[in-house]
Amino acid sequence: MTPGQGRPPTLDAGWIAALCAGVLAQLQAPTLLHHGPAVGLVVFAVAAWAVAHHLARRASPSSGGAVSMALSWCAAFALGAGLCAMHGQAAMDRRAPAFLDGTTVRLDVRIVGLSEFRANGARFTADIERVVGAPADVDDALATRRIALDWYGGGHDLRSGEVWRLAVRLRPWSRPLNPGDPDETRRALLAGIDAHGSVLASERPLRLGAPGGLHALRGGVSDRISEALGGERARFVAALAVGDTRGLSDGDWERLRQFGLTHLIAISGFHVGMVAGLGVVLVRLVWWWWPTLAHRMRRRPAAAAAALAVATAYAALAGFSLPTVRTVLMIGVVAFVIGRRRRSPTAQPLLLAMALLVLSDPFALLTPGFWLSCGGVAWLLWCLPGTADPWSPRTFLKAQWVATLGLLPLGAAFFLQVPVAGPLANLVAIPWISLVVVPLSLLGTLLMPISEAPSTWAWQGAAGAMDAFWWAMAQVPEAWSSSRWLPEVSGGALALAVLGVAIVLLPRGLRWRYAGALLVLPMLFPAMTSPPRGEFSVTAFALPRGDALLVRTATRTVLVDAGPEPVDLARRLRAAGVESIDLRIETRRNAGRVGCAAGVDRAFVPRHHWRAPGTTASVRGTLRCEAGRRWTADGVVIVALSPAPPAAGASPDEACVLLVSSASGREAWLASDAGRWVAHRLASPSAGAWVIGAPATLGHWHAALGASGGIATRAPGPSLALRWPNDLHRVDREGALSWHSSEPNAPAGARNGPPRWWHPAFP
């Protein structure tokens, strides 16, 4: 950070990059710096910045410029790492301690945010105002904390801003166990949630206070939109007016992802900028109507202050999402510069807004909104000069091209998919939604305090415009609306893709710039590690109350069972790099093994299908999983050993038992739920074999086979867990595990990414 000659001090992009690098270094670390070293880094950063500032002022440019810049960048890195560690220590100190897991407490809570209503209950966030009748240590651990609650079978009459007395059972924190699992602890860290639990239905809840405050106002506007339009038509208007996306179904989000339009169905910086422009227009009208005001205050500073005030109020109504905060900060910087009657470089508002965001909330770098919002503005500032006419069609098309291509690597890294029709869909959707739907939604919200009829008309116009656009998207052929799904993107592939996009967006005179597209290919087509020919791997997913196993050979993929219904197994399979399924096998026809079968079949359309024993193979090309069934690929053989063909398949002992054999003789027994008698009848001692199955029968199979090891596909019961042998692995404790026939000594972890400091430790 060096001052320029004859102008106020400015931030440079290198200082911001070093600050973000320091924050990311701490965020990606498995452990958190202690308070002492973190404070030491901040003190060092301040001292280094003071020395760099002194060198920049006193030394000559040739001798001190490079040294002061390098020193200021080191100071920015240390400042970012130290502040992030201090924020992390404060967040972890506020987290509910482990000794409260499973305990029941009575809490007086105030509902914050917008509650999410489901068929089986409600999910909401609340601030704890008082702990009722609890010991002092429990009161100290929970008072003034924020808690996330699930209310099963109730909670449908909750309103934002209300105060309730509830009996709550606290739950332990969990960490991602499978590829593609959402990181709930990271979400809690970003939302400032310190505990989570479930509302007990055994004790009567009490409503202690009526709705009040900003949260009640936001919920009231959303309810008013729903009453005026009806739940189905109001979902997009409420999302664009106050950021309420609760009405959008999974099908709505899926279609938006297919066309790359999820960034439009939220209150973005563009929407806040439109509202800020309304403040400028109002000031201009007032100054035109009352010209003598110019003698007391210049019109430009007044317009800037009005824009900042209106933008801040609207960002508060929208829940202070990160893109809105970034825009408010940028507007604040511009208002400050105008008020001081100084000129500032074009990129300074963005750089200052980023610095303020990172310094006040380092955890913002964990959110896609930070990178997509700031990255989109940065691409536009770099590729579109300030002298370009913003109203010309050419400028609009170029801005669309720059935003779509520039954000492609970041969008692919965060959402693990690349929409085929994304650029064309955005070309139509951005002007239609931003210039038609959003203004009508905002107009209805602004008119609501004045009169109900005009606000309803504006909302109906916005809903009609969105319905027309939604109908048009439904007419697009399925081949054009598909997406390419990606496994987890590595940091190196992402850096190469960003560099390639930067090369493509270089000035037009450089004809070789399109060669930069080659650097994007490692991200779009990552090299997947497959077992060598003749060998295989088995991955056991960690699913609640259900099983799913993935068998891979050199070129083929087999899915054994599909897990329980609430679990999105297709997302986990895509995150594991699965692009197609050659054979899907059902070992038993129960909810824990075929609950996600329909979703998997829609996502991958398996080429072959073995149905559970006792079911009728009604679909052409399907077979029953019974003794004698055989499948061979790449030198690997899968054989069904049980049950006999006439079995009914109702009891656990009539589950389909599979034997997977490699060309080198390594074996994996997939025992499903088959019990001890089936194990003694089928199993024969096999050196080096591994057994994978239900925990209740895994020990019997392990003993009958004399196996080298085993993997339990779900958590054992309480009594069995107390005497669980150490040589048998459990996915509920270790996460998803993969056993490779070429490396048979022990299974390898298959979770999505390494552990972070905010994850709880496994027992």
Side-chain angles (χ1 to χ4, degrees):
M1 188 159 42
T2 58
Q5 187 172 358
R7 63 181 183 183
T10 58
L11 287 175
D12 63 272
W15 193 89
I16 296 296
L19 180 68
C20 293
V23 173
L24 287 175
Q26 179 59 88
L27 289 177
Q28 301 299 319
T31 58
L32 193 63
L33 286 175
H34 293 293
H35 189 72
V39 173
L41 282 177
V42 174
V43 173
F44 165 78
V46 174
W49 180 85
V51 173
H53 186 70
H54 176 76
L55 290 176
R57 290 176 60 89
R58 299 298 180 87
S60 62
S62 60
S63 61
V67 175
S68 65
M69 181 178 294
L71 194 57
S72 67
W73 289 359
C74 291
F77 184 91
L79 180 63
L83 284 179
C84 182
M86 294 171 66
H87 278 78
Q89 289 289 353
M92 298 304 290
D93 290 342
R94 288 181 58 85
R95 179 176 288 184
F99 75 85
L100 293 178
D101 295 344
T103 60
T104 299
V105 292
R106 292 168 183 82
L107 305 174
D108 290 349
V109 299
R110 181 177 295 275
I111 313 299
V112 299
L114 299 174
S115 303
E116 183 180 351
F117 302 114
R118 303 178 177 181
N120 63 341
R123 172 172 290 183
F124 59 98
T125 305
D127 287 338
I128 301 175
E129 295 193 341
R130 191 163 72 96
V131 183
V132 181
D137 57 343
V138 176
D139 185 80
D140 293 339
L142 293 179
T144 71
R145 302 298 200 267
R146 177 163 291 186
I147 186 170
L149 293 172
D150 290 310
W151 191 339
Y152 297 107
H156 294 285
D157 54 347
L158 289 173
R159 295 295 178 266
S160 298
E162 291 180 334
V163 179
W164 285 73
R165 176 169 294 177
L166 303 171
V168 174
R169 176 169 293 162
L170 300 177
R171 297 201 306 265
W173 296 97
S174 60
R175 61 185 295 181
L177 298 177
N178 303 285
D181 270 1
D183 194 340
E184 298 295 341
T185 50
R186 185 178 68 176
R187 290 182 181 178
L189 183 73
L190 296 175
I193 295 173
D194 309 306
H196 63 153
S198 303
V199 178
L200 296 180
S202 57
E203 298 194 26
R204 182 181 179 183
L206 298 175
R207 183 187 281 112
L208 303 179
L214 181 61
H215 298 291
L217 175 62
R218 188 183 177 202
V221 173
S222 178
D223 294 340
R224 178 67 186 88
I225 294 174
S226 298
E227 293 173 2
L229 301 177
E232 184 69 19
R233 298 191 68 207
R235 64 192 194 280
F236 290 112
V237 179
L240 295 171
V242 293
D244 182 6
T245 59
R246 296 175 297 172
L248 273 68
S249 64
D250 293 339
D252 293 334
W253 286 115
E254 181 63 27
R255 182 177 295 184
L256 291 169
R257 283 192 293 266
Q258 288 176 349
F259 288 94
L261 302 177
T262 53
H263 62 98
L264 292 177
I265 309 301
I267 296 180
S268 65
F270 180 79
H271 304 157
V272 178
M274 291 179 61
V275 175
L278 177 61
V280 174
V281 171
L282 291 176
V283 168
R284 287 179 177 270
L285 290 176
V286 171
W287 257 247
W288 173 79
W289 181 262
W290 196 357
T292 57
L293 286 176
H295 297 292
R296 300 184 179 181
M297 186 175 185
R298 292 171 58 89
R299 188 181 65 181
R300 288 193 66 200
L308 178 60
V310 173
T312 303
Y314 183 62
L317 186 62
F320 282 119
S321 63
L322 197 140
T324 64
V325 174
R326 186 263 305 163
T327 306
V328 169
L329 290 175
M330 291 181 66
I331 294 173
V333 172
V334 173
F336 176 78
V337 171
I338 292 176
R340 296 288 301 273
R341 301 184 184 181
R342 291 181 175 180
R343 299 184 63 86
S344 175
T346 307
Q348 279 304 293
L350 174 63
L351 294 177
L352 285 171
M354 290 180 64
L356 292 174
L357 273 176
V358 174
L359 293 176
S360 61
D361 183 13
F363 303 153
L365 271 68
L366 292 172
T367 62
F370 176 86
W371 297 103
L372 295 176
S373 177
C374 297
V377 176
W379 281 117
L380 293 175
L381 289 176
W382 184 54
C383 297
L384 298 181
T387 56
D389 182 9
W391 301 105
S392 68
R394 181 177 180 180
T395 302
F396 170 77
L397 293 175
K398 188 175 181 180
Q400 174 63 33
W401 160 254
V402 168
T404 302
L405 185 62
L407 297 180
L408 173 65
L410 292 174
F414 284 117
F415 305 117
L416 302 182
Q417 67 179 133
V418 179
V420 175
L424 293 178
N426 277 271
L427 189 64
V428 178
I430 287 179
W432 184 258
I433 294 178
S434 300
L435 301 179
V436 179
V437 182
V438 171
L440 289 173
S441 301
L442 299 182
L443 180 62
T445 304
L446 294 174
L447 292 176
M448 190 177 67
I450 302 174
S451 177
E452 292 188 3
S455 62
T456 301
W457 295 338
W459 287 331
Q460 287 177 345
M466 196 64 203
D467 290 342
F469 176 75
W470 203 247
W471 175 86
M473 282 204 304
Q475 310 309 310
V476 177
E478 185 177 355
W480 292 8
S481 62
S482 60
S483 298
R484 173 169 179 78
W485 290 89
L486 305 174
E488 185 182 9
V489 178
S490 64
L494 177 60
L496 283 177
V498 172
L499 177 61
V501 168
I503 293 174
V504 171
L505 294 177
L506 286 173
R508 295 179 58 187
L510 303 174
R511 297 184 179 275
W512 52 267
R513 71 186 191 280
Y514 291 110
L518 298 176
L519 299 179
V520 186
L521 296 181
M523 182 189 69
L524 298 180
F525 302 95
M528 299 302 300
T529 303
S530 299
R533 185 171 182 83
E535 303 293 340
F536 66 93
S537 66
V538 182
T539 300
F541 291 96
L543 305 178
R545 300 177 300 278
D547 298 355
L549 304 176
L550 181 66
V551 182
R552 278 175 161 164
T553 67
T555 62
R556 297 288 186 266
T557 302
V558 179
L559 180 65
V560 181
D561 295 323
E565 185 176 3
V567 176
D568 187 1
L569 184 61
R571 179 185 63 196
R572 291 164 170 82
L573 292 172
R574 287 180 175 124
V578 175
E579 296 184 353
S580 62
I581 294 178
D582 298 283
L583 172 64
R584 187 172 72 79
I585 302 175
E586 299 171 2
T587 61
R588 282 192 71 197
R589 193 73 183 177
N590 60 5
R593 296 184 179 276
V594 296
C596 285
V600 170
D601 291 346
R602 285 194 304 269
F604 297 100
V605 189
R607 297 183 176 90
H608 304 282
H609 187 188
W610 291 2
R611 291 189 175 271
T615 59
T616 303
S618 58
V619 181
R620 184 177 181 181
T622 64
L623 302 170
R624 282 195 299 181
C625 187
E626 55 191 16
R629 197 70 65 202
R630 187 183 185 92
W631 187 82
T632 305
D634 301 323
V636 176
V637 180
I638 300 178
V639 180
L641 302 179
S642 177
S651 69
D653 281 345
E654 292 173 344
C656 187
V657 178
L658 302 171
L659 173 62
V660 188
S661 305
S662 68
S664 60
R666 299 288 184 183
E667 295 179 348
W669 290 70
L670 312 185
S672 185
D673 290 324
R676 69 173 70 186
W677 305 117
V678 180
H680 287 295
R681 178 170 56 87
L682 296 179
S684 58
S686 176
W690 274 66
V691 58
I692 304 172
T697 60
L698 185 64
H700 303 299
W701 281 92
H702 185 262
L705 285 168
S708 299
I711 301 174
T713 53
R714 54 183 181 269
S719 60
L720 183 58
L722 293 176
R723 48 188 173 84
W724 189 259
N726 294 327
D727 56 343
L728 297 182
H729 299 267
R730 288 167 45 182
V731 294
D732 65 300
R733 296 181 59 176
E734 303 175 58
L737 296 173
S738 294
W739 182 79
H740 299 264
S741 62
S742 57
E743 301 174 4
N745 293 330
R751 293 190 299 273
N752 192 15
R756 303 298 183 199
W757 51 264
W758 58 81
H759 290 157
F762 277 116

